[in-house]
Amino acid sequence: LVIPDQPVIDALYPGRTRHADGALLYDLGPFRLGVDGGRSVDVVSSLDRTWVGPELQIPRFFTDRVALSAGYLEEVGWIHGRSAFLQAVTRPARWLRLIGRVSWTEDVSYALDQQELGGMLSAVADLSDHFGLRLAALYRGVLDVNASSAASTPSGLNAQASLYATF
């Protein structure tokens, strides 16, 4: 059962950056315990950000067709805070992979001090050895809203469908 890579998130202010991240995992019988970490630096402004935290994976949750993982990151730098996630991956058929992920983020930076909840559902169907179809829906919204603020509550929903090919 393949545990997918972390989703790629576009930069808020794209520019020249230096970025490195990695994970170390160790198998402990039915569990896989590890640590994730990384660092990014904006070359122009010299703003930096570092993150590190534990991750627990259960690659075979009662069956070879279900995998669970959970993780936590502590983040420091110009954007600091913390985040956590819980993810389930299942393969009900050889050609179909379903992924569900819930995440929580707390940003504590400058004027921004909020908690957000995110969710992702994805289905990947292998149509042949080299072609497939991917459907995904993502949501992210603010959990704690200052009642005295007249500002709107930011949230977003995104859905996409794509065909892919491997060579």
Side-chain angles (χ1 to χ4, degrees):
L1 181 67
V2 175
I3 295 178
D5 291 337
Q6 299 293 332
V8 176
I9 300 171
D10 293 332
L12 183 59
Y13 303 106
R16 292 184 54 202
T17 62
R18 303 289 184 254
H19 178 95
D21 61 53
L24 293 172
L25 298 166
Y26 186 76
D27 284 339
L28 298 167
F31 302 101
R32 188 173 291 152
L33 187 61
V35 63
D36 293 326
R39 179 167 172 79
S40 65
V41 178
D42 182 88
V43 175
V44 176
S45 66
S46 297
L47 295 174
D48 66 336
R49 184 171 160 260
T50 304
W51 58 94
V52 66
E55 183 172 342
L56 174 66
Q57 298 178 357
I58 307 172
R60 291 171 195 84
F61 188 70
F62 293 116
T63 174
D64 288 346
R65 295 187 179 270
V66 177
L68 294 179
S69 59
Y72 172 84
L73 292 174
E74 191 66 30
E75 304 161 11
V76 295
W78 81 280
I79 296 178
H80 60 280
R82 55 208 46 84
S83 60
F85 75 90
L86 177 63
Q87 176 174 286
V89 180
T90 184
R91 195 165 199 134
R94 187 173 183 265
W95 55 272
L96 180 63
R97 186 170 61 243
L98 304 174
I99 304 164
R101 182 180 180 109
V102 176
S103 62
W104 165 81
T105 304
E106 181 181 42
D107 291 324
V108 186
S109 303
Y110 303 108
L112 182 65
D113 186 1
Q114 67 183 21
Q115 296 185 38
E116 296 181 353
L117 185 65
M120 186 269 298
L121 295 173
S122 174
V124 179
D126 298 323
L127 303 176
S128 71
D129 288 343
H130 299 288
F131 294 98
L133 172 66
R134 180 176 293 127
L135 305 172
L138 301 100
Y139 171 79
R140 190 167 179 179
V142 174
L143 283 176
D144 54 349
V145 178
N146 185 349
S148 65
S149 172
S152 65
T153 304
S155 64
L157 177 64
N158 183 9
Q160 70 179 31
S162 59
L163 292 170
Y164 66 89
T166 59
F167 302 97

